[in-house]
């Protein structure tokens, strides 16, 4: 249990804490969390992109102390959404957490389209199918605290169950409309099992509930660009204080893309994010068509 003075929402998955009481772990043992150690990293998201709205100010800490953000996207069922992946990348760079793209359901569709979109990025990735061997992924997780994020039904818990055989995470079915049913309802950190013959710490994996969108109201307009390293160099010839939007006729990014230095879809995605932060348009356009008043899903969030 948590000491009262720590407050209701203070402890999140990944936190390192000090305990007082019976720490034997025996049945019925009771200890109190009295202190939360300083966090090495804090991965956040907001319910909406616009910080002028109540939803935009509703900030959720996804996880503390993660080293790596594993962006899990199915190649089909549900189909991949690069707009969502782009948002996760912005959040990862902003939180100083390394991104890793994990493409699941490679048995259902090929990765060419998604990977083509990220060619200029040197984004590390792994491909997964039900029978694929997980050695490459295990090597990338080794020694780190990694958190899985993604839409519902992309196979996060399935992957956790394969990585941690005694995890017994419930896995769901993907509903007919291609949207998962939000099988997992809380984040859980699990210690990865040791790899035979390897002494290094195998690391931790954190399974999280599926999310519909990754709101970025907490990320400044300047920091948004960090999620688009393939565009950064294209802004060096911009006029002072260039907002990088389509309103700025002299924005260097148009020429950068026209010269083939970056994918025009990446620039469009960046500008969609800028616009949605400014409260224009549908901030959820990258994720789904739900109204901003709707929650992430039908269950509790934390
Ligand atoms: N064909 C195929 N199906 C998969 C694969 N990985 C997972 N699935 C299926 O996808 C469905 C959803 O998987 P889950 O692991 O529950 O997905 P999740 O991301 O944990 O979903 P939430 O907990 O709702 O966020 C299950 O029916 C899995 O069997 C895969 O590589 N290929
Ligand atoms: Mg799950």
């Amino acid at each position: 249990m948590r000491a009262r003075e720590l407050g209701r929402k203070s402890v999140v998955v990944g936190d390192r804490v000090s305990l007082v009481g019976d720490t034997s772990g025996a049945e019925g043992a009771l200890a109190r969390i009295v202190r939360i150690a300083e966090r090495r990293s804090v991965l956040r998201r907001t319910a909406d992109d616009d910080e002028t709205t109540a939803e935009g100010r509703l900030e959720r800490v996804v996880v503390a102390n993660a080293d790596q953000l594993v962006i899990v996207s199915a190649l089909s069922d549900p189909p991949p959404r690069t707009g969502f992946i782009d948002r996760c990348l912005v959040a990862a760079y902003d939180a100083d957490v390394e991104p890793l793209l994990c493409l699941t359901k490679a048995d259902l569709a090929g990765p060419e389209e998604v990977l083509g979109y990220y060619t200029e990025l040197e984004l590390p990735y792994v491909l997964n199918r039900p029978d694929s061997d997980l050695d490459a992924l295990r090597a990338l997780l080794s020694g780190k605290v990694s958190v899985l994020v993604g839409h519902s039904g992309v196979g996060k818990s399935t992957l956790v169950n394969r990585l941690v055989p005694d995890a017994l995470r419930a896995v769901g079915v993907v509903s007919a409309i291609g949207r998962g049913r939000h099988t997992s309802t809380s984040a859980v950190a699990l210690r990865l099992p040791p790899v035979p013959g390897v002494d290094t710490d195998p690391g931790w994996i954190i399974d999280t509930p599926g999310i519909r969108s990754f709101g970025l109201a907490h990320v400044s307009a300047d920091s948004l660009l960090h999620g688009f390293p393939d565009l950064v160099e294209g802004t060096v010839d911009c006029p002072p204080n260039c907002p990088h939007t389509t309103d700025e006729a002299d924005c260097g990014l148009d020429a950068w893309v026209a010269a083939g230095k970056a994918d025009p879809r990446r620039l469009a995605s960046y500008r969609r994010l800028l616009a949605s932060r400014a409260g224009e348009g549908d901030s959820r356009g990258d994720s789904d068509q739900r109204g901003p008043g709707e929650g992430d899903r039908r269950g509790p969030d934390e």
Side-chain angles (χ1 to χ4, degrees), residues 70-74 100-104 124-128 137 159:
V70 184
I71 307 162
V72 187
S73 172
L100 169 65
L101 180 61
C102 177
L103 299 171
T104 60
Y125 72 91
V126 284
L127 269 185
N128 263 95
L137 178 59
L159 203 54

Side-chain angles (χ1 to χ4, degrees), residues 151-158 160 169-172 182-186 207-210:
H151 291 308
S152 185
V154 295
K156 297 178 293 298
S157 301
T158 302
V160 166
R169 294 290 284 167
V171 296
H182 303 287
T183 304
S184 305
T185 54
S186 59
D207 189 12
T208 66

Side-chain angles (χ1 to χ4, degrees), residues 73-78 103-109 128-130 153-155 174:
S73 172
L75 290 164
S76 176
D77 191 31
L103 299 171
T104 60
K105 310 201 188 185
D107 52 318
L108 302 181
N128 263 95
R129 46 196 301 152
V154 295
V174 178

